[in-house]
Amino acid sequence: MVEFIISDPSYTDDERFAIGVGLSITFRQVLVEARPSREALRAVEGAVWGALLITPCPPDLPCFNDAEKAVDYSEIYSIPVGYEGPRPATANRRVSTFNKHYMSPWRWARGGEKVEVGHPLLPLMSCLYTQLKMLNAVPVVVSDVRLSPSAASRPDYMVIPTWHEPAEVAEIVDVYLPPLKAAAIALGILIGGYKAGPVIAVAKTRDFLTAKVAEMGGYVVILDEPGDVCNFLQSRITGYAYEKKKYVVDPDLCDKCGDCLKTACPAISPTSLGVLQILNNCTGCGACALLCTRGAIR
C-alpha cells in the first residue's frame, strides 16, 4: 500500500515530486499529487527503488487506477508510474533502509563537473569528506552541485546501509539529480525516517525547503553564502564561499599517507620518494590542506 501522500501546496510541483523521489530512495511507497516537468521526470529514469506514483498521470508513463497494482509495477520495474484512481489510505509498514555502498557513486549521482586545478567545489567536498569519513554512521549527501569522480564504482549489493570510505572527495555526493532540488530530495529522505546517519543537503539557495530540512534534523550547506562549511555539524545550516590561498608542503611532516590525493587534484603529485609535491599549476584552493591530518600542507 501507499505509505505517504505528498500534496502540500506550499511546494511547487517539481518540489513535491523531488520529495517523493527522496522517499523512494529509502524504499518508501509514495503518491505525489503534482504535475512534474518533463525534465524532472527524465532526471529519475532508472533510479526509482520504492514505489513512486504520480497523479494526475503524466504523459509517456504507465498509468493505473488501482493503487496496489501501481505500487507493484513501480517497484518491480523501478520506474515512476501515473495514477488516476481514488486517493488511497496510507499505512507505514517498512523500515527505511538502502545501501550506501551500492548507491554511490553511480546509481543516483549522474554526471557532474570535471575536477580541475583550483576547482571551486574541491574545498567544499574535501571539508565534507573530512567531517563525515570518521563518523560511526552512514551519512547521505544530496547536492545541487557535484564533481565527476574518476574512481570506479564498488557495489556490494547488500540492502542495508553499509559504511564505506570514498576513494576520492568527488564521491562524497550520493544523490545528484538536477534539475530536482537537493533540499527537496533530502527532505523526502528525512520524511522517510532514515536514521542510519546524518542527511546533508548542499543547496544553491536558502529557501523554505532548506529550513524544513534543518527543522527535521538534517544539515544544510548553502552555496555562495558566508560561513564555515567545516562546522556544519555544529551549526546545522552554514554557508560556503570559495577562497583561494597559497599552500606549501613541509616534507619533514609528510609521512606519505596519501590522504591529500583523495582530492584527485592534478596539481598534487607524489615524488619518486613518495613525499607529496604541489606543482606549479596549483591555484591555492586549499582542498589538500583540509585533508592533511599531519599538518604538512599549510
Side-chain angles (χ1 to χ4, degrees):
M1 291 299 296
V2 169
E3 297 175 89
F4 296 90
I5 296 177
I6 306 301
S7 59
D8 190 335
S10 60
Y11 301 111
T12 68
D13 287 82
D14 278 5
E15 288 171 351
R16 290 197 293 275
F17 178 66
I19 292 170
V21 171
L23 282 160
S24 101
I25 288 175
T26 59
F27 289 97
R28 296 300 194 173
Q29 300 168 329
V30 56
L31 170 68
V32 181
E33 295 185 357
R35 297 180 184 268
S37 66
R38 185 177 297 272
E39 292 76 20
L41 287 169
R42 190 179 299 121
V44 302
E45 287 178 356
V48 175
W49 278 343
L52 181 53
L53 282 56
I54 308 160
T55 187
C57 185
D60 305 322
L61 286 185
C63 195
F64 295 81
N65 55 20
D66 183 289
E68 190 169 347
K69 289 181 179 178
V71 166
D72 290 343
Y73 189 95
S74 181
E75 290 195 321
I76 289 170
Y77 295 101
S78 194
I79 60 172
V81 302
Y83 176 68
E84 296 290 0
R87 186 179 177 121
T90 60
N92 292 349
R93 65 180 181 85
R94 290 183 296 185
V95 175
S96 173
T97 177
F98 62 75
N99 181 287
K100 164 85 171 193
H101 200 165
Y102 178 54
M103 184 174 69
S104 179
W106 56 278
R107 174 96 180 192
W108 290 89
R110 303 169 181 173
E113 301 181 44
K114 185 177 180 181
V115 180
E116 300 170 346
V117 175
H119 197 296
L121 295 181
L122 271 173
L124 168 63
M125 301 303 170
S126 298
C127 196
L128 290 173
Y129 173 88
T130 303
Q131 297 297 304
L132 299 175
K133 70 175 182 177
M134 297 307 294
L135 288 180
N136 184 25
V138 187
V140 180
V141 180
V142 190
S143 181
D144 284 331
V145 293
R146 184 184 188 234
L147 293 169
S148 292
S150 58
S153 58
R154 298 153 295 158
D156 65 9
Y157 302 107
M158 293 175 61
V159 189
I160 55 173
T162 51
W163 177 90
H164 82 289
E165 182 174 333
E168 56 184 84
V169 298
E171 285 187 29
I172 200 69
V173 172
D174 300 298
V175 184
Y176 169 71
L177 293 174
L180 299 182
K181 289 184 178 180
I185 298 173
L187 184 57
I189 293 172
L190 290 164
I191 292 172
Y194 183 72
K195 302 294 185 184
V199 178
I200 303 103
V202 180
K204 288 184 177 178
T205 57
R206 183 187 295 264
D207 58 14
F208 177 57
L209 286 162
T210 57
K212 288 291 290 183
V213 169
E215 180 184 314
M216 290 201 63
Y219 301 85
V220 184
V221 176
I222 310 293
L223 300 176
D224 298 324
E225 280 193 10
D228 182 1
V229 67
C230 291
N231 288 328
F232 79 95
L233 287 174
Q234 289 72 44
S235 59
R236 197 164 292 279
I237 298 184
T238 188
Y240 166 74
Y242 179 40
E243 181 182 1
K244 290 184 180 180
K245 300 176 182 178
K246 182 142 180 107
Y247 288 87
V248 295
V249 178
D250 184 341
D252 293 331
L253 294 178
C254 177
D255 65 358
K256 312 173 190 177
C257 72
D259 281 353
C260 58
L261 299 176
K262 292 183 182 294
T263 60
C265 175
I268 305 169
S269 177
T271 65
S272 57
L273 298 177
V275 176
L276 169 74
Q277 63 177 338
I278 298 179
L279 306 179
N280 291 334
N281 58 341
C282 171
T283 59
C285 76
C288 57
L290 283 169
L291 293 184
C292 182
T293 57
R294 316 311 196 265
I297 306 174
R298 58 179 183 263

